[in-house]
Amino acid sequence: VLYAFCRTVDDIVDESTGEDREHQLAYWRQVVSAERAPLPDDPIAKAWLHVLHAYHIPSRYALQLIDGVARDLNQNCYETFEDLSTYCYGVASTVGLMSMYIIGFTSPEALRYAINLGVALQLTNILRDVGEDARNGRIYLPAKELREFGISEAELASGDINTRWVEFMKYQIFRVRDIYTESEKGIPFLHRDGQIAVAAA
């Protein structure tokens, strides 16, 4: 059910068009804040509200996810790694934080590790999809770091792989691996039944 909610919200931004996207996102903000589904024949909304309340998932995480995916409507680049990390929190860490209330955890200390894992997973997606994103007019890689390595937007769009690009990607990959290593420390705080799934992710 959590996946269905996240997938539905994400698809609004990626697959819908025009003003309808804002309208649909507003509907899901309304769902998250409601006691019952605004449209009684919406099975995903009904199921999501049940899960949200049954597992005491803070609604702020669901609202932050909606706001996070909505950023793709207006923003197609990020200046610094800190800016990009904020985006990653919105679209990925929030999912991990909501998952934790379903899995169960033994200490609030686990939350910061879930945030790290979400950032690392989203950065992995970004590094994997550089070409596709560039063709769609989105450059998630930090603009400041691209300049530091002497890489232009034109090189990204053309897929030019040179020494500067290889060194840039090594730098990004090493950083993501460090974040994964740090986030692993949170796995022991999870309920035992969920530890293997999160470790595998």
Side-chain angles (χ1 to χ4, degrees), residues 21-164:
R21 293 184 295 190
E22 293 285 6
H23 177 73
Q24 290 183 63
L25 291 174
Y27 166 76
W28 281 101
R29 288 188 183 97
Q30 183 184 358
V31 168
V32 170
S33 304
E35 289 298 318
R36 60 175 61 112
L39 299 176
D41 59 346
D42 184 339
I44 294 176
K46 289 173 67 176
W48 172 235
L49 279 172
H50 168 73
V51 168
L52 194 68
H53 297 310
Y55 290 92
H56 308 289
I57 299 171
S59 59
R60 68 179 179 275
Y61 296 142
L63 293 170
Q64 288 170 346
L65 171 69
I66 295 170
D67 291 342
V69 300
R71 291 179 74 168
D72 280 340
L73 298 177
N74 310 308
Q75 189 169 357
N76 58 7
C77 61
Y78 294 88
E79 176 62 20
T80 65
F81 179 72
E82 288 71 26
D83 296 335
L84 178 58
S85 295
T86 300
Y87 168 77
C88 291
Y89 170 87
V91 299
S93 296
T94 53
V95 180
L97 291 166
M98 290 187 284
S99 298
M100 286 182 58
Y101 282 82
I102 298 170
I103 293 169
F105 56 98
T106 59
S107 168
E109 190 177 348
L111 298 174
R112 67 186 180 96
Y113 296 113
I115 292 171
N116 285 342
L117 181 57
V119 170
L121 288 166
Q122 186 62 28
L123 289 172
T124 300
N125 289 345
I126 288 168
L127 296 180
R128 179 197 64 199
D129 296 336
V130 171
E132 179 183 346
D133 289 335
R135 288 189 293 275
N136 290 327
R138 293 175 181 166
I139 299 175
Y140 293 103
L141 300 169
K144 181 175 182 287
E145 294 177 4
L146 286 169
R147 291 194 299 270
E148 288 171 353
F149 280 84
I151 298 167
S152 68
E153 289 186 19
E155 287 175 301
L156 279 182
S158 67
D160 184 20
I161 299 175
N162 52 40
T163 303
R164 286 175 287 114

Side-chain angles (χ1 to χ4, degrees), residues 174-194:
F174 289 149
R175 177 166 57 195
V176 174
R177 286 179 176 167
D178 284 343
I179 300 172
Y180 275 123
T181 299
E182 178 64 19
S183 68
E184 286 175 3
K185 298 175 184 175
I187 292 176
F189 293 109
L190 299 176
H191 189 283
R192 185 174 178 182
D193 289 348

